[in-house]
Amino acid sequence: MGLTKTEIFSDQQNRIADLAKAFAHPARVAILQVLIAKKACVCGDLVDELPLAQPTVSQHLKELKRIGIIKGEIDPPRVCYCINETVWEEARQTFGTLLDSFVPATCC
Amino acid sequence: MGLTKTEIFSDQQNRIADLAKAFAHPARVAILQVLIAKKACVCGDLVDELPLAQPTVSQHLKELKRIGIIKGEIDPPRVCYCINETVWEEARQTFGTLLDSFVPATCC
DNA sequence: TTTATTAATCGCAATATTACGATAGAAAAA
DNA sequence: TTTTTCTATCGTAATATTGCGATTAATAAA
C-alpha cells in the first residue's frame, strides 16, 4: 500500500515520525549540517556544497520546511535558509525524552 | 529515481539517516515504546498492542533489526524482542551530539 | 526591454516503503 | 503423528520517495 495509517497512531507518535524524517535521509542530514556550520544562513550555495542537482536539493528543502525544522526567507532572487530554532528545540526535547526513556534491564 | 545515493554521503551521514529511520514511522515508534514500557521484552503481544496485521508488524521488526536497534531472541515458537542497549546508546549519542551542535544565532 | 541569476515546480522514471492475505516453517502440545 | 501456536516470508497492490532534465517565475542587472 505504501500508505502509512497515520490516523491509527497518536499525534505524538506521528510527530516523532515526522521529526525523524528530517534526519532519515543523508542528503537532508547534509543540508542541516551545512546550515549549522555556516552560522549565518546559507542560500543556494547548498547546491554547490552537495553532489545533487538543484531540483533535488530544492525538494529536500521543501520537505524540511514542511516538517518545520528549517525556514526560508525570500531575498530575491535568492532564498535564505536557516534552522528554525523553535522546531529544532522541539526535536531536541522530543528525541531527548524518547531516548532517555529506555532504562536498560535484564532482558533476552 | 527512489534510489538514495548513499555512496556520495559520508558513513556518518548514512548512519544518522539509518538510525533516524527507526523513528521515522509511527508504527516503529509505537513498537519501540511498547518494548520500553514492558521492561522485560515483549514477544508477539506486539501484534495485539498494535492495530496492524501480523506480517506488517513482522516487517517493521525486521527493519528495526536491520538497523540494529532491537534484537530478537528465539524461544520457540515465540521470539522475544528487546531494545539493543548498545545501539540505543549509539542513537542517544548520535542524536544528542547532532541536536546539540546547533547554536542559535541571528539569522534570516 | 533584454538578459542574467536564482530557486521553485512540472513531469517523468526508477526504486522504496507500507500493508496485508496466504503460505510456510519450526517447535510444543495433544 | 496430528494439531496447535507463533512468526517469518512470499506475493501482490498501492502509495511514497528520490532524482533530475526541462521549464517557469520572479527579480535584478545591463
Side-chain angles (χ1 to χ4, degrees), chain A residues 11-100:
Chain A
D11 287 350
Q12 188 223 25
Q13 287 165 338
N14 281 309
R15 182 57 177 158
I16 291 173
D18 239 23
L19 287 172
K21 278 181 196 162
F23 302 99
H25 191 286
R28 290 197 287 273
V29 172
I31 288 173
L32 294 171
Q33 287 176 331
V34 172
L35 289 182
I36 289 170
K38 317 237 168 181
K39 310 226 173 175
C41 35
V42 175
C43 311
D45 326 277
L46 279 167
V47 177
D48 298 328
E49 302 264 3
L50 303 175
L52 292 170
Q54 181 265 321
T56 306
V57 173
S58 204
Q59 204 165 356
H60 283 300
L61 288 169
K62 188 179 181 180
E63 174 68 1
L64 290 171
K65 261 192 295 185
R66 183 191 64 76
I67 295 164
I69 206 160
I70 68 168
K71 52 186 176 179
E73 188 94 345
I74 295 174
D75 174 26
R78 298 148 201 280
V79 177
C80 177
Y81 285 105
C82 57
I83 302 291
N84 183 331
E85 195 176 327
T86 308
V87 178
W88 189 271
E89 181 56 25
E90 179 197 352
R92 240 171 52 81
Q93 288 284 331
T94 301
F95 289 112
T97 302
L98 178 57
L99 288 163
D100 284 344

Side-chain angles (χ1 to χ4, degrees), chain B residues 15 63-71 83-84 87-88:
Chain B
R15 183 56 177 158
E63 174 67 1
L64 290 170
K65 261 192 293 185
R66 183 191 64 76
I67 295 165
I69 207 159
I70 67 169
K71 53 186 177 179
I83 302 290
N84 182 332
V87 178
W88 189 270

Side-chain angles (χ1 to χ4, degrees), chain B residues 1-2 5 44 54-55 58 79 81:
Chain B
M1 289 184 172
K5 297 176 150 185
Q54 181 266 322
S58 203
V79 177
Y81 284 105

Side-chain angles (χ1 to χ4, degrees), chain B residues 38-91:
Chain B
K38 317 238 167 179
K39 311 228 172 174
C41 34
V42 176
C43 311
D45 326 277
L46 278 167
V47 178
D48 299 327
E49 302 264 3
L50 302 175
L52 292 170
Q54 181 266 322
T56 305
V57 173
S58 203
Q59 204 166 357
H60 282 300
L61 288 169
K62 188 180 181 181
E63 174 67 1
L64 290 170
K65 261 192 293 185
R66 183 191 64 76
I67 295 165
I69 207 159
I70 67 169
K71 53 186 177 179
E73 188 95 346
I74 295 174
D75 174 25
R78 298 148 200 280
V79 177
C80 178
Y81 284 105
C82 57
I83 302 290
N84 182 332
E85 194 175 329
T86 308
V87 178
W88 189 270
E89 181 57 24
E90 180 197 352

